[in-house]
Amino acid sequence: MNTAGRARRSLTVPAEINGRAVTRLCAETFRGCTALEEVTIQSAVTALPDGLFADCPALRTVILTQPDPARLQVGQDLLAGAPAACRIQLPDGSYTAYCLQYSWSAYADRFCT
């Protein structure tokens, strides 16, 4: 992410860039985005790696648009470096599915709808 992007407080990961679908993010994508408070992850994204939000001390909300947790892989330390108050907002009707999905269940205490 460029310098101007790192200063943003809110952003949405686009469904595509230059006509190509955005399906994965690398672990360094948001590292050091100290002003970032809210991120929306489009449903085309299929994987969120370990430490995606490392060094994001202002992060309050990660909004997921994928209703099926089986279609969105998640790393073990997704929120390492984010404040304890950071929440993962789930799509309507998908709370139970995320809680029951093995890799997502570790984040159940952070879920909101």
Side-chain angles (χ1 to χ4, degrees):
M1 185 176 296
N2 64 30
T3 304
R6 292 201 178 282
R8 294 186 63 177
R9 292 177 47 189
S10 176
L11 67 89
T12 297
V13 174
E16 65 178 49
I17 296 175
N18 297 326
R20 298 187 69 181
V22 176
T23 59
R24 294 183 181 264
L25 301 171
C26 72
E28 302 292 320
T29 302
F30 299 111
R31 179 177 292 280
C33 292
T34 57
L36 187 62
E37 295 177 6
E38 180 179 285
V39 176
T40 299
I41 308 291
Q42 298 294 347
S43 61
V45 174
T46 60
L48 303 177
D50 288 352
L52 182 62
F53 298 107
D55 302 323
C56 293
L59 190 63
R60 293 182 316 194
T61 309
V62 176
I63 301 168
L64 303 180
T65 60
Q66 175 54 259
D68 183 358
R71 293 180 173 219
L72 182 57
Q73 297 173 3
V74 63
Q76 292 180 344
D77 293 320
L78 176 68
L79 298 175
C86 180
R87 296 292 172 249
I88 299 173
Q89 184 175 328
L90 303 174
D92 290 340
S94 61
Y95 178 83
T96 300
Y98 272 86
C99 286
L100 294 175
Q101 209 281 336
Y102 179 75
S103 59
W104 279 103
S105 65
Y107 300 102
D109 62 332
R110 303 252 194 163
F111 293 158
C112 65
T113 55

